[in-house]
Amino acid sequence: MIALEPSEAIIRRVAELLESEIGLRPESALRARLRRCIRDELAVLGLDFERYLRALGASASLRQALLNRVTVQETGFFRHPEHFEILAQHILPTLPQPLSIWSAGCANGQEAFSLAMLLDELGIDGRVIATDVSTSALLRTNAASYAAREITGLSPERIARHLTPVGQAWEVNPSIRARVSTVHHNLIESVPHRVRSSSVVFCRNVLIYFSDQHARGFLDRVADALPQAWMLLGAAETIWSIGDRYDTVRLGDTYAYRPRSVSGGRVTGGALPARVAASQVGAGHADDVAAIAILAEAGRESLASGDPAAAVVSFRKWAYLAADDALAHLHLALALEAMNDRPSAQRAFGAAGRLLGADPARHDYAIDGYSPNELYKLLDAKQQELPQ
Ligand SMILES: C[S@@+](CC[C@H](N)C(=O)[O-])C[C@H]1O[C@@H](n2cnc3c(N)ncnc32)[C@H](O)[C@@H]1O
């Protein structure tokens, strides 16, 4: 008889396989998702768990089907708009044309098409190479057709300019599609030839799912293969000590990264970009809001200049003034971790996790577009890394 629920041992074995296959961090928050995906795969295949595991080891197409299910395709047009702003204002004007941009971990294509739209609007001779390990994500990118709920990041002007309604869906216009090509690529493997002439890499909200070793390996390979490139990461992803291969470059309201030999700037590591808006601190007094912005910035600067003790002082004050702000506790935890004060870091990660769980809607805004789920996973992983 076929068992209905995969045992913990089966889930652990599949998690190990996925870590070696696509770098997926084997964390407890993932278990429920894995359990569901394994169940769904077995329902399709009609195999029992042991036979499924054996088949998985032997069949690349079964592994591909599983990772199509397991990977998270959460994305959107012009997601984290500040990255597109700095690209348009600070980065693209400095680059020779024709140019290419690598959308690494492109999901269903909205990121790649947003980049293509921007190139079109700026009259830039450029193309976008969209890569992903999920073949179903690449099929969706190639289809370039989106439901109304999937185009919410686009202004009415952009919808009118770049999309055409077809039935219930919206299709990306051929002029934008022509700028985007797709490549099936696993980021834990070597940098593919097709993207080696890219001058910008967008790799956002992908490394957050990787184990540290795989995230670091990817960043090192990009620094070697594309030493001139600008790298845009998700805010939470700077946590993986990007510092020793990349410089952090502050542009406008956010940050970009460059392999160190290029920019000659200062070295930073371990810090999250702090974007502190008045609404992040709820009904706080205006003086508090100003103080918080200064403290957050000062802490980040201290961390960047290699003084985590000073960063702890600033972030502690921030967390005191904005006691219900998960981001404040997260920064404090990172600074404590940099000081090797593991028990205190553990407590601060715990506080950030509890706050995030307590009021996800509020923090969806506060973490600047990151879903509570994405940040929650990160916190969970951090807590597992730090023994009590
Ligand atoms: C949350 S989406 C991010 C999409 C987009 N970059 C954004 O920020 O909106 C993560 C994507 O990374 C892809 N991914 C996960 N592991 C990967 C790997 N090892 N190689 C390539 N892509 C991977 C997933 O399939 C998924 O499409």
Side-chain angles (χ1 to χ4, degrees):
M1 184 178 133
I2 295 178
L4 293 176
E5 277 302 317
S7 65
E8 277 307 308
I10 299 270
I11 292 177
R12 199 170 46 247
R13 279 161 68 189
V14 175
E16 282 165 9
L17 185 130
L18 287 172
E19 188 187 8
S20 67
E21 192 82 5
I22 57 166
L24 193 67
R25 184 188 281 278
E27 63 188 16
S28 61
L30 194 73
R31 298 238 185 264
R33 185 177 176 85
L34 261 189
R35 185 184 300 278
R36 211 174 44 247
C37 293
I38 294 171
R39 243 184 356 228
D40 292 350
E41 274 298 277
L42 291 185
V44 172
L45 297 166
L47 294 176
D48 64 31
F49 293 120
E50 283 302 331
R51 281 178 59 211
Y52 176 61
L53 270 186
R54 277 199 301 277
L56 207 53
S59 159
S61 62
L62 274 191
R63 289 196 296 280
Q64 183 67 55
L66 177 66
L67 63 88
N68 282 356
R69 274 190 204 280
V70 170
T71 49
V72 177
Q73 261 70 53
E74 190 166 315
T75 186
F77 282 100
F78 290 90
R79 186 184 190 193
H80 310 307
E82 67 279 7
H83 286 162
F84 294 89
E85 278 157 29
I86 63 165
L87 188 64
Q89 285 171 23
H90 300 281
I91 300 177
L92 290 174
T94 68
L95 300 176
Q97 298 178 30
L99 57 85
S100 55
I101 301 177
W102 179 15
S103 169
C106 64
N108 295 339
Q110 289 98 317
E111 178 180 271
F113 290 125
S114 303
L115 290 164
M117 288 174 190
L118 194 68
L119 294 175
D120 178 82
E121 289 162 14
L122 296 172
I124 289 177
D125 182 4
R127 67 201 176 103
V128 181
I129 304 153
T131 71
D132 205 287
V133 77
S134 161
T135 49
S136 48
L138 293 176
L139 280 174
R140 287 248 19 226
T141 304
N142 287 329
S145 173
Y146 298 97
R149 67 182 153 71
E150 294 178 303
I151 62 165
T152 49
L154 290 174
S155 63
E157 294 75 27
R158 280 193 164 129
I159 292 175
R161 176 168 174 166
H162 301 301
L163 302 185
T164 304
V166 178
Q168 298 292 307
W170 291 87
E171 284 188 2
V172 180
N173 288 344
S175 59
I176 299 300
R177 292 169 72 158
R179 288 181 182 262
V180 176
S181 53
T182 55
V183 177
H184 185 223
H185 174 63
N186 184 346
L187 294 176
I188 74 166
E189 292 168 2
S190 60
V191 175
H193 194 70
R194 288 271 299 278
V195 304
R196 282 179 183 244
S197 57
S198 304
S199 42
V200 181
V201 182
F202 264 53
C203 184
R204 308 176 313 151
N205 315 306
V206 181
L207 302 185
I208 196 169
Y209 299 105
F210 280 25
S211 61
D212 288 3
Q213 169 210 349
H214 286 295
R216 175 64 77 99
F218 166 75
L219 293 167
D220 286 354
R221 283 191 298 279
V222 173
D224 290 337
L226 301 167
Q228 305 291 326
W230 288 90
M231 167 82 83
L232 277 296
L233 294 172
E237 288 159 334
T238 54
I239 281 165
W240 279 286
S241 308
I242 191 172
D244 61 349
R245 295 298 308 273
Y246 290 78
D247 289 337
T248 303
V249 184
R250 182 171 187 150
L251 296 172
D253 215 7
T254 188
Y255 296 84
Y257 304 90
R258 298 199 86 184
R260 187 190 263 187
S261 57
V262 173
S263 62
R266 61 176 189 189
V267 179
T268 68
L272 280 167
R275 300 185 76 236
V276 183
S279 46
Q280 259 180 250
V281 290
H285 187 277
D287 289 348
D288 283 354
V289 173
I292 284 166
I294 291 165
L295 287 167
E297 187 62 20
R300 205 195 53 73
E301 290 286 334
S302 302
L303 208 50
S305 60
D307 188 353
V312 165
V313 172
S314 300
F315 291 150
R316 248 194 228 298
K317 289 181 187 163
W318 176 15
Y320 174 77
L321 284 176
D324 61 348
D325 186 343
L327 205 56
H329 294 273
L330 180 55
H331 278 79
L332 175 59
L334 290 166
L336 288 163
E337 190 184 34
M339 281 186 72
N340 241 348
D341 182 349
R342 287 165 174 263
S344 307
Q346 178 96 345
R347 280 195 294 279
F349 279 125
R354 280 191 298 281
L355 286 164
L356 205 62
D359 191 357
R362 176 174 179 273
H363 284 99
D364 197 25
Y365 178 82
I367 59 176
D368 200 20
Y370 282 88
S371 73
N373 194 29
E374 282 172 328
L375 209 53
Y376 193 80
K377 282 182 171 197
L378 175 83
L379 288 166
D380 186 61
K382 280 287 170 194
Q383 282 180 279
Q384 284 184 29
E385 272 170 22
L386 297 171
Q388 300 277 5

